[in-house]
Amino acid sequence: MWYSVQKIIVFSIISSILSTSCKQKHSDKLTIAVASNMQFTMKELSREFTNQTGITCDLIISSSGKLTAQIKEGAPFDVFVSADMKYPNELFTSGHTTTKPQVYAYGKLVLWSGVDDIKPSIDILTTSEISHIAIANPKTAPYGIAAIEVLKHHGIYENVKKKLVFGESISQTNQFITSKSAEIGFTSKSIVLSPQIHGKGNWITIQETDYTTISQGIVILNPKNIKQQHAEAFHDFLFSNSAKNILETFGYSAKR
């Protein structure tokens, strides 16, 4: 009987230690909310960050607008890497951050088709060759706003607006293009330069004078646990030379 009690006590102690250890390991992970245009770039950035610091990262990918709504509802994110400055500033103003947002890079827009026979151009959008044009939802995705600006800049928005197919984010927009559900679409240059997509279809870079500069911001969110130092370390890393080199490899203009 005594031996059985001892076994139970020892087992309980070991279980408690293991449980505490697992919780500690889990709590050490940095949870980063990432705009969809950064999904491939951020995988490379987080890999390099982990190599340098030993801090692992969980990436939550969605549109900037949806991530902002989740943060306001209490989602346990530590850092927000947005596709613009609007949403980080909104969170800062509403008291959801510990730091003022900073621009870490400038995004670039491309016109991309997954159909081999289609050569992307602004002019082709108004032709019968194109029935569907994929763009990210401008209500929640900054790259969608930029796409609308391009169409209006060239004076063809009214002619093509019935062709527009809206993705909830750049990720879904890319799916429309790669699946050829849409013959063509607007996306981030970082997507077509990524190893996962490189060489698929045809694309052109949109002139940066055709749309408002896409200033992408990062902000540290209010601390919910001991990971504040980890969040600060990632924030600093994103402005390091090694991070800037990665950003530029993926087609962004990094702040030097």
Side-chain angles (χ1 to χ4, degrees):
M1 175 71 175
W2 171 244
Y3 178 68
S4 298
V5 171
Q6 282 183 316
K7 284 207 302 184
I8 292 172
I9 293 173
V10 170
F11 178 77
S12 297
I13 293 172
I14 292 173
S15 297
S16 177
I17 292 172
L18 288 174
S19 175
T20 301
S21 175
C22 288
K23 287 178 181 177
Q24 183 64 39
K25 286 180 181 178
H26 178 73
S27 67
D28 283 346
K29 274 192 174 182
L30 194 63
T31 304
I32 306 175
V34 183
S36 295
N37 70 285
M38 281 286 290
Q39 64 182 115
F40 298 127
T41 313
M42 186 53 68
K43 286 179 181 178
E44 187 62 32
L45 286 167
S46 63
R47 187 181 297 114
E48 177 62 22
F49 174 69
T50 300
N51 287 340
Q52 291 186 19
T53 65
I55 301 169
T56 56
C57 304
D58 278 340
L59 306 181
I60 310 300
I61 312 292
S62 189
S63 67
S64 296
K66 285 197 169 184
L67 290 170
T68 297
Q70 290 172 18
I71 291 166
K72 287 182 174 181
E73 291 171 3
F77 305 148
D78 303 301
V79 178
F80 177 35
V81 179
S82 179
D84 68 356
M85 287 294 286
K86 171 191 170 184
Y87 291 113
N89 280 322
E90 187 177 309
L91 291 171
F92 174 70
T93 301
S94 60
H96 287 82
T97 77
T98 62
T99 60
K100 190 174 181 179
Q102 286 184 271
V103 176
Y104 65 88
Y106 299 97
K108 297 178 184 178
L109 192 69
V110 300
L111 184 60
W112 177 35
S113 175
V115 181
D116 292 336
D117 295 336
I118 291 179
K119 304 303 178 187
S121 70
I122 296 297
D123 291 339
I124 202 175
L125 299 179
T126 58
T127 69
S128 59
E129 192 172 356
I130 303 299
S131 299
H132 301 93
I133 304 168
I135 72 170
N137 185 350
K139 293 181 180 180
T140 56
Y143 279 77
I145 295 173
I148 295 293
E149 288 180 344
V150 170
L151 297 175
K152 290 183 176 180
H153 175 82
H154 287 274
I156 63 172
Y157 175 73
E158 292 299 327
N159 292 337
V160 303
K161 64 181 182 181
K162 291 184 179 179
K163 298 183 180 183
L164 298 181
V165 180
F166 299 98
E168 292 185 358
S169 64
I170 279 289
S171 294
Q172 189 174 51
T173 304
N174 297 334
Q175 291 172 11
F176 291 156
I177 298 169
T178 55
S179 68
K180 302 176 185 177
S181 298
E183 297 89 352
I184 203 166
F186 291 91
T187 190
S188 165
K189 189 174 184 178
S190 64
I191 300 298
V192 295
L193 290 182
S194 68
Q196 296 88 338
I197 300 296
H198 182 70
K200 295 182 179 180
N202 307 298
W203 58 274
I204 59 168
T205 301
I206 301 298
Q207 290 188 13
E208 293 178 52
T209 53
D210 290 0
Y211 56 93
T212 303
T213 301
I214 305 174
S215 302
Q216 302 196 175
I218 180 175
V219 68
I220 298 175
L221 303 172
N222 288 337
K224 298 174 178 63
N225 46 43
I226 62 172
K227 291 183 283 186
Q228 181 71 6
Q229 289 183 338
H230 293 348
E232 291 172 357
F234 182 82
H235 180 278
D236 293 343
F237 164 77
L238 200 55
F239 292 92
S240 68
N241 286 333
S242 58
K244 289 175 182 177
N245 290 337
I246 292 171
L247 285 164
E248 289 172 353
T249 298
F250 279 84
Y252 293 98
S253 295
K255 291 196 73 174
R256 292 284 184 181

